[in-house]
Structure formats: C-alpha cells, structure tokens
Amino acid sequence: MSLGLDDVVAAETVLSHVDGEAGRLIIRGYDLEDLAGRRSFEAVAAILWEGFATEDREETVRAALGTARLAVYEGLEAKLPFTDGLSPVEALRFLLASLPDSAPTPAHVLVTAAMPVFAAAIARRKAGKGPVPPDATRGQAADLLHMLRGSPAPEDHVRALDAYLVTVVDHGLNASTFAARVVAATRAGMVSSVVAGLCALKGPLHGGAPGPVLDMLDGIGPEEAIPGWLAGALDRGERLMGFGHRVYRVRDPRADVLKAVARTLRRGSDRIRFAEKVEAAALDLLAQRKRSRPLQTNVEFYTALVLEALELRRDLFTPVFAIGRVAGWAAHVLEQEAAGRLIRPQSRYVGPMPRQAA
Ligand code: ACO
C-alpha cells in the first residue's frame, strides 16, 4: 500500500477522468479543451450537475446562482468583522462554515453562489472598503470581478476568468474532492462537505501554490539569475512551485489551456516572457536532477500569471480556485450522497501490543 493511496480506487464517478499518462482531462464526456474558453462556467456546472439536481441547464443554473448570490449577500456585512485578522482563505472558510446545511436554497447552488460573494467582500475589507452587492443578471465570473472592483470589468478579463473557472472545475479524486466525498458519505450535508474540501485545498501541495509561484518569479530577480536561483532552491531541498503532479506523468493539460489564456491577457509582456524562461529552465533542471520522476508544469504555474493579470491579490488566488472548484465539489457531494455508502477504510496497526500480564 502506498501512503499517498496512489494505487487505490476509492470511488466510481461520472464526473471527470484524469489520464495521467496521456495528459488528458475529461469532464463528463468532454475534453477540457472543448470546454475552457468555449462554454461558460454556468454551462459546465449544468453539465456536472445534470441528473443530480434540477438546475441542469445553463440558463437555470445562471438564474439560480444569481438569485442565491443576492440571498447570501443579505446578512454578510454583520459577519465580516469576525474575519479581521484571518487570511482570505481562512476568512472564506469562516464565512462558508456560517451557512446552514439545511437552507431553502438548494445547497449545491448556495455554496457555489456564496464563494464569489464572500471572496469579493473579504478582499475589499482587507483593502478597507465596504462590500459591493451582487448583480443577479451577471455570470459568476463577471459578477466576481464587479464585486471586487466596484465597476464592470472589461470583456477580455471576464472571458479569461470564466475560462480559468472552467479549467479548474473538476479533476478526479484530488485531495479536496476526496475530503468532500468522505464528509458527504457520513450524510453531514453539502455545506459541511464543501468546507472540508476548502480546508484541503488550502495547503501548498494542493491549491495554495500559485501565490508562491509569483513569490518565486519575484525572488529570482534578473533573467541571468534564473538557473542559479532554481539550482539553489533544489540544493536546499525545496520544491519548485507550479511543477510536478501526483497523477500526470506528462504535461498537465490545464497548464496549456491557462498558458494560452495568460498569453492573450498579457500579450508580449516582459512578465510572460520571463515566466516562460523560468518554466523552461525549471523543466531542464528537474529533468537532470529528478531522473526517476518526470516532473512537468502543473496547473498552478499559469494560474498565477492569469490571476495576476486580472489584478487579484496573491492571497486571493486559493479562494478564486475554490470559486471554480466548488461546482465540482458540489457535484461529487451529490453523487456520493446518491451512492449512499459510508467511506471507512482500514488502517494497519504498527504500534506496541499491550504487555502480557505476568
Ligand atoms: N520541485 C522539486 N522536486 C519535486 C517537485 C517540485 N515541484 N515535485 C516533486 N518533486 C520531487 C520530490 O522531491 C521527490 O524527489 P525524491 O524522490 O528525490 O525525494 C520526487 O519528485 C517525488 O515526489 P513526491 O512527493 O512523491 O511527489 P507527489 O506525487 O507526492 O507530489 C506534488 C505531487 C505535491 C504536487 C509535488 O509535485 C509538489 O510538491 N509540487 C510543488 C507544489 C505545487 O506545485 N502544488 C500544486 C499541485 S497542482 C494542484 O494540486 C492543483
């Protein structure tokens, strides 16, 4: 048995399939490349929720999320002071946990709608500003940017964010989805399950990497310093953020989708040229130093460049990841609840045995 359970199949799902050898991600019958940038976040949520929920068409999902964003916003201002002193992802965890598991709004809609409303209000409070109310007529991406900025975002920003949210919407039995399914299997409810998912996403080995990717780009300094800086980090036993993946043995297909989005947003900028040089140098070095393990660019490297171009604060990157992934978590929770089987694996005891009585 592997300690990371790499070799264990712990669920059957119709929702997504990660082919780590071919570098392919299938979301409920569609290749990722046919969804990201082509279908809206609401359309993809509808695809994931079909058969598990009544909100299973793009228009019904869009309308239900818009109404639910307004409902979530009510009473939010009173809760915000309790988030002072917390990081944005901790504040999101707090606000999400404050939602009831039994609410009049269908729970998968409630949690999905809540994420952008909470994340925007948290970011504005950190900047000393009051929250901006949602607009139920917008999609999640456009409304998030509007609630963050206080004014409508340009169309290319909305399209880029929408493509990002679709790119990260679901990804097999990753750590956060597994955590959500374990809690769902106890019948604890949607909100509790999604809080578990968010807690798992917070870690730097999962969804917490893109902020550190930018810290790395900034820390390197001038272009000539790239090889020495990366080699020094590996010499100290550090991991290069944005590289490596538990399942992919080839390139993470999400990295390519987001690289294209980042290039569109930052056409010809020094930042994207620098990042591509760092990527190439890191891949060379990892290939030399870690011969036993193919290490390629993962989703987080270009996530960092897309979200930075959208002028988001670094510590908001993980909450924004959650705004996309929550539709997948919710679908897995609905699927797990339908399966109805408690997840309860075994452990092997390797501790001491009680002493025999003399
Ligand atoms: N930089 C340097 N070395 C690495 C990296 C990296 N990014 N990733 C793995 N390795 C090395 C390990 O040090 C180890 O080397 P060793 O055998 O000489 O000790 C070898 O590759 C295997 O590492 P594991 O820990 O077994 O790989 P695992 O499958 O557990 O790791 C993970 C996957 C956690 C993503 C890892 O690659 C990592 O830490 N990457 C950096 C953080 C990151 O980018 N996280 C985002 C992941 S994407 C997502 O979850 C949304």
Side-chain angles (χ1 to χ4, degrees), residues 6 204-207 209 234 238-246 249 252 254 286 290 292-293 295 298-300 321 325:
D6 319 26
L205 298 192
H206 190 7
L234 291 181
E238 293 170 12
R239 291 181 176 213
L240 304 180
M241 289 292 142
F243 297 90
H245 197 273
R246 175 59 65 82
R249 291 294 165 263
D252 181 337
R254 300 169 301 172
L286 289 169
K290 304 278 174 186
S292 60
R293 169 75 173 230
L295 293 170
N298 66 42
V299 63
E300 302 288 44
F321 189 161
R325 182 55 60 86

Side-chain angles (χ1 to χ4, degrees), residues 89-150:
V89 71
E90 290 165 341
L92 182 62
R93 188 184 60 195
F94 169 83
L95 291 174
L96 198 60
S98 75
L99 297 174
D101 267 310
S102 54
T105 309
H108 59 287
V109 173
L110 181 74
V111 289
T112 307
M115 292 287 193
V117 177
F118 289 162
I122 291 163
R124 285 182 69 86
R125 188 168 178 89
K126 300 251 167 259
K129 298 178 190 160
V132 171
D135 174 345
T137 63
R138 294 193 165 96
Q140 294 269 101
D143 211 20
L144 170 63
L145 291 175
H146 184 255
M147 288 186 286
L148 278 168
R149 298 174 182 184

Side-chain angles (χ1 to χ4, degrees), residues 262-279:
R263 277 183 167 164
T264 318
L265 275 177
R266 323 186 68 141
R267 204 160 318 181
S269 77
D270 288 344
R271 187 68 154 168
I272 192 89
R273 265 200 302 274
F274 184 75
E276 287 179 10
K277 290 209 159 95
V278 171
E279 182 191 17

Side-chain angles (χ1 to χ4, degrees), residues 14 24 45 65 122 202 211 219 228 239 271-272 302 318 332 342:
V14 299
R24 187 176 191 194
L65 288 175
I122 291 163
K202 176 174 177 285
R239 291 181 176 213
R271 187 68 154 168
I272 192 89
Y302 284 102
T318 306
H332 278 272
L342 180 72

Side-chain angles (χ1 to χ4, degrees), residues 19-274:
D19 183 339
E21 301 298 327
R24 187 176 191 194
L25 169 58
I26 296 171
I27 310 273
R28 220 170 172 183
Y30 296 86
D31 275 309
L32 172 68
E33 294 79 0
D34 293 330
L35 295 177
R38 295 173 184 216
R39 306 290 292 272
S40 69
F41 172 77
E42 286 74 13
V44 176
I47 290 168
L48 285 171
W49 295 348
E50 192 188 333
F52 298 111
T54 51
E55 295 75 16
D56 58 3
R57 282 179 299 118
E58 182 173 3
E59 318 81 72
T60 43
V61 168
R62 182 181 295 269
L65 288 175
T67 309
R69 286 198 302 278
L70 292 174
V72 166
Y73 186 76
E74 275 184 34
L76 172 61
E77 271 185 271
K79 296 180 197 170
L80 282 173
F82 295 104
T83 67
D84 290 346
L86 300 177
S87 70
V89 71
E90 290 165 341
L92 182 62
R93 188 184 60 195
F94 169 83
L95 291 174
L96 198 60
S98 75
L99 297 174
D101 267 310
S102 54
T105 309
H108 59 287
V109 173
L110 181 74
V111 289
T112 307
M115 292 287 193
V117 177
F118 289 162
I122 291 163
R124 285 182 69 86
R125 188 168 178 89
K126 300 251 167 259
K129 298 178 190 160
V132 171
D135 174 345
T137 63
R138 294 193 165 96
Q140 294 269 101
D143 211 20
L144 170 63
L145 291 175
H146 184 255
M147 288 186 286
L148 278 168
R149 298 174 182 184
S151 57
E155 195 45 42
D156 62 333
H157 282 202
V158 174
R159 269 203 309 275
L161 181 60
D162 203 39
Y164 167 73
L165 297 179
V166 168
T167 302
V168 299
V169 75
D170 202 41
H171 201 241
L173 207 56
N174 59 87
S176 56
T177 300
F178 185 48
R181 285 191 79 125
V182 169
V183 176
T186 71
R187 302 193 187 156
M190 178 65 73
V191 172
S192 302
S193 306
V194 167
V195 168
L198 180 66
C199 291
L201 188 74
K202 176 174 177 285
L205 298 192
H206 190 7
V213 166
L214 293 183
D215 297 339
M216 173 175 79
L217 295 182
D218 291 344
I220 290 173
E223 209 172 297
E224 326 60 271
I226 296 173
W229 193 97
L230 295 175
L234 291 181
D235 289 344
R236 291 190 296 277
E238 293 170 12
R239 291 181 176 213
L240 304 180
M241 289 292 142
F243 297 90
H245 197 273
R246 175 59 65 82
V247 182
Y248 292 116
R249 291 294 165 263
V250 294
R251 220 172 145 77
D252 181 337
R254 300 169 301 172
D256 284 332
V257 168
L258 293 178
K259 185 173 189 167
V261 175
R263 277 183 167 164
T264 318
L265 275 177
R266 323 186 68 141
R267 204 160 318 181
S269 77
D270 288 344
R271 187 68 154 168
I272 192 89
R273 265 200 302 274
F274 184 75

